Amino acid sequence: MSIYEKITVTISAIALALSLYAAISAYYEKHLKAKIYALWFFYFDRRLNVNFIFSNMSSRPKTITRIWIKYDNKVVESTWYKTKISSTSANGKNAYTFSDMVPINIPSRSSRQAIISFTYLKDFPIQMPEELTFIFEIDGSKVEKTFNTKKQLTAKEQFDAVEYNIWS
């Protein structure tokens, strides 16, 4: 084999390796799963508000179409409408903060924060359980995730947490 043939074979092998790496990397990025985090919980009068962060590092957008909560062998879906979380008055004007609702669209390589409300929770424990399980329908497939409920807000803390939404 001449020197030119060796160079050609070497360059071809390098090109094949690089193209395989690019194909595997693109496939991996395209199929990354969305990550879900729960920042805080607020429970009052049979209504639970949960602040979620949805992270999507995939090269494709993701859509969360439904969210359920599981407790005491019951499954309850999140509200289909916006619920009022807080209100305040300033300069003679009333300003309100509302919960988010599904579907939630998360663009590729970004994240989204949402406050989701679950209303009319019948037989929900008066004392919040240490862990709560949620079911998320993301792009047609269901993902079940359990969160620790250590970060439970008081009414004042929840108002402070959502206040920035009032003025934005």
Side-chain angles (χ1 to χ4, degrees):
M1 203 183 320
S2 73
I3 187 77
Y4 297 114
E5 291 173 339
K6 289 180 183 178
I7 292 172
T8 304
V9 169
T10 303
I11 291 173
S12 297
I14 292 171
L16 176 65
L18 289 175
S19 64
L20 280 173
Y21 174 76
I24 292 170
S25 186
Y27 179 83
Y28 174 75
E29 279 187 20
K30 189 176 182 182
H31 291 87
L32 281 173
K33 303 281 184 211
K35 303 241 189 254
I36 304 166
Y37 307 96
L39 290 182
W40 52 258
F41 300 85
F42 178 72
Y43 177 65
F44 179 74
D45 192 29
R46 297 186 324 173
R47 183 170 102 187
L48 175 67
N49 295 332
V50 184
N51 188 358
F52 289 110
I53 292 181
F54 304 102
S55 175
N56 176 23
M57 292 298 112
S58 170
S59 60
R60 289 178 141 177
K62 303 272 185 205
T63 302
I64 299 171
T65 51
R66 295 173 89 182
I67 301 173
W68 297 274
I69 184 173
K70 284 174 61 173
Y71 66 94
D72 294 338
N73 297 324
K74 294 180 177 70
V75 178
V76 177
E77 190 170 3
S78 65
T79 58
W80 288 10
Y81 50 86
K82 293 183 176 213
T83 58
K84 186 167 72 168
I85 296 175
S86 67
S87 63
T88 189
S89 296
N91 300 329
K93 293 184 178 180
N94 291 331
Y96 302 99
T97 303
F98 294 92
S99 66
D100 297 293
M101 47 187 223
V102 290
I104 299 170
N105 297 313
I106 311 158
S108 62
R109 294 183 178 86
S110 66
S111 62
R112 173 113 193 275
Q113 186 171 351
I115 299 172
I116 304 297
S117 285
F118 299 87
T119 56
Y120 307 111
L121 297 175
K122 295 179 181 177
D123 303 323
F124 194 80
I126 294 173
Q127 190 75 325
M128 174 108 56
E130 288 185 16
E131 291 185 337
L132 284 174
T133 302
F134 296 89
I135 303 168
F136 303 90
E137 187 174 307
I138 304 172
D139 292 335
S141 62
K142 291 184 179 177
V143 175
E144 190 169 314
K145 192 141 175 144
T146 301
F147 296 103
N148 191 326
T149 62
K150 283 184 182 176
K151 186 59 179 170
Q152 296 178 34
L153 302 184
T154 63
K156 168 86 172 92
E157 289 172 331
Q158 186 201 348
F159 178 79
D160 292 340
V162 300
E163 188 177 30
Y164 72 91
N165 283 337
I166 293 175
W167 308 115
S168 56

